[in-house]
Amino acid sequence: MGTCMIATLKQIYRQCSTTEIAWQERLFSSLGACIAIFFLSYFINALSPYLMFNPVVLASMGASTFLLFAVPHSPLAQPWQLLAGHLCAAFIGVGCCKLIPDLSYALAVSVSLSVFVMYLLNCMHPPAAATAMIAIIGGEQIVAQGWAFAYITIAANVFILLVLTLILNNLIPGRRYPLNHQHHPHHNAFKHSKDNLRPLYEDDFRWALSQMETYIDVTEEDLVDLYEFAVEHAQKKGNSRH
């Protein structure tokens, strides 16, 4: 039984392993996150003498930092998603804290409304749901801030974090932040090649994504580029067999 369990765990680990990601990329992501959180904390603390309360670095900023540096090209990690997601969730959380006395109801409504509004405004950012909850269960220091929690504490956190992300991510080789919706340089060569299959374009993948009935965290451009590389790889394998 124990041997079977160990074998199963090893199989799960192999399936979840990210060995395809270069160690250099992992180190850059980790170092960028470290520097960003350090300076975020430093600047937030520096603001304290100028405010009537002490702003804090929120735990949800740690989750945002993961997205911003581990998957900076994700649609969920772009500036609009970061700013609008957290700010909307913060205002919703404060409103629910004030209007709904029952804690469980307040938490549930704040998260569900945040998800709904983020869908409406196209600012899907998962860590923002935690921001809505922090506005309710963050303790007396947070609750006492009232609406200032949203337009001062959250605004300061996300704007400082965004500036740091813009600086640090663009210093890392191979990254472009914010995401510029453009193809890999390989796209033009593939498009003019006579040996490829019928090329698929953004509108094809946009239609295909619409049939999935769920949110897929990838852009049409990335899908086209992946398809083109896969076609070329398949053709090379086919040629090597003849």
Side-chain angles (χ1 to χ4, degrees):
M1 181 71 177
T3 304
C4 181
M5 178 64 71
I6 292 174
T8 302
L9 291 174
K10 286 182 177 179
Q11 183 178 3
I12 293 173
Y13 173 78
R14 284 195 296 269
Q15 291 173 345
C16 298
S17 177
T18 55
T19 52
E20 297 83 2
I21 301 175
W23 279 103
Q24 183 183 24
E25 181 70 10
R26 302 182 195 187
L27 291 173
F28 277 140
S29 296
S30 302
L31 183 60
C34 175
I35 296 172
I37 291 296
F38 174 82
F39 280 105
L40 174 62
S41 177
Y42 175 84
F43 288 125
I44 289 294
N45 290 329
L47 288 174
S48 297
Y50 305 100
L51 300 173
M52 296 177 62
F53 56 86
N54 290 328
V56 293
V57 177
L58 303 173
S60 55
M61 295 301 117
S64 290
T65 300
F66 175 87
L67 286 177
L68 295 169
F69 288 93
V71 285
H73 297 161
S74 166
L76 300 178
Q78 300 312 300
W80 171 249
Q81 280 68 24
L82 172 69
L83 296 174
H86 278 296
L87 288 171
C88 289
F91 280 107
I92 290 170
V94 173
C96 289
C97 183
K98 290 179 175 293
L99 298 174
I100 305 176
D102 184 88
L103 179 62
S104 297
Y105 280 119
L107 289 172
V109 173
S110 69
V111 172
S112 62
L113 277 179
S114 296
V115 171
F116 183 74
V117 171
M118 283 190 281
Y119 264 123
L120 287 180
L121 299 180
N122 191 28
C123 59
M124 300 292 289
H125 189 68
T131 294
M133 298 179 69
I134 291 171
I136 300 170
I137 58 173
E140 293 182 3
Q141 182 182 2
I142 296 294
V143 174
Q145 294 179 23
W147 295 109
F149 172 73
Y151 65 78
I152 293 181
T153 298
I154 293 299
N157 272 263
V158 294
F159 278 109
I160 292 172
L161 183 57
L162 176 59
V163 171
L164 291 168
T165 303
L166 287 168
I167 295 171
L168 295 171
N169 259 335
N170 287 300
L171 290 176
I172 297 175
R175 294 194 179 183
R176 58 187 194 277
Y177 189 88
L179 175 66
N180 183 10
H181 289 279
Q182 62 183 15
H183 286 288
H184 189 280
H186 165 268
H187 175 65
N188 287 330
F190 180 91
K191 185 169 61 175
H192 295 99
S193 172
K194 296 181 179 178
D195 297 327
N196 57 51
L197 302 176
R198 179 195 176 277
L200 300 179
Y201 297 105
E202 284 86 345
D203 59 331
D204 300 310
F205 282 101
R206 191 175 300 115
W207 180 87
L209 287 170
S210 71
Q211 305 305 300
M212 298 296 292
E213 298 181 350
T214 188
Y215 188 86
I216 307 296
D217 185 17
V218 68
T219 67
E220 293 90 347
E221 291 85 0
D222 288 336
L223 287 173
V224 170
D225 293 335
L226 286 170
Y227 165 77
E228 292 170 352
F229 278 117
V231 167
E232 286 193 347
H233 183 258
Q235 289 173 340
K236 289 177 181 177
K237 286 197 302 183
N239 292 335
S240 65
R241 290 171 181 162
H242 294 298

